[in-house]
Every structure is written in C-alpha cells, then in structure tokens.
Amino acid sequence: MTKKAPVPAEAHSPEHAPESPQTGEGEALAVAKEMAEAAKRRMPSSRQIGMGAAIGVGSAAIVAGLLYWRGGRKDRK
C-alpha cells in the first residue's frame, strides 16, 4: 500500500491532458502548425538581411583600406 493519496482527474496539469475531440484538431495538424510557427520565427527579416549586408560591405572596405594604406612611407615619388 502506498502512502500517497489518490489524485482526482481534474487536478492533473492541462499540459499532459489529451486534446478534446471537440476541437477537431489532430495531433499531426497541431505539430505541423507548431513547426510552421517555429520556422517563421527563425527566418530573418529583410531589415536584418540589409543590416548584415551593410556590415559586411563596411568591414570589407575597412580591411581593404588597411591593406592598401601606404601612409607614413618616405619612398613616395
């Protein structure tokens, strides 16, 4: 015999409760909707893509400027 008291069915958390048949939404459909929402959250916006391109071009310009800079040399003609 256990020392725990029986827990009524209403006391269980709703996370582990099976879906009610009244909604008409199957488990596969619910999973597909969750995956679609997750994919939408992972997609970068056009603003993020533009910012990334601007940062990339700017950093390439800085690196090129540092590589080809000839300041302070006395062998200029």
Side-chain angles (χ1 to χ4, degrees):
M1 197 165 230
T2 63
K3 294 185 179 184
K4 293 183 179 180
V7 179
E10 297 86 24
H12 291 290
S13 67
E15 295 175 349
H16 302 294
E19 288 190 31
S20 65
Q22 298 168 352
T23 60
E25 186 173 285
E27 184 178 341
L29 186 59
V31 171
K33 284 183 181 179
E34 287 178 21
M35 289 178 64
E37 290 174 7
K40 190 184 293 184
R41 286 191 302 264
R42 283 191 302 250
M43 295 295 288
S45 68
S46 60
R47 182 175 180 181
Q48 290 174 331
I49 292 173
M51 294 270 293
I55 290 170
V57 169
S59 62
I62 290 172
V63 168
L66 291 173
L67 286 175
Y68 295 110
W69 180 54
R70 296 181 161 209
R73 292 191 180 178
K74 293 185 178 185
D75 59 345
R76 289 186 189 174
K77 292 184 178 183

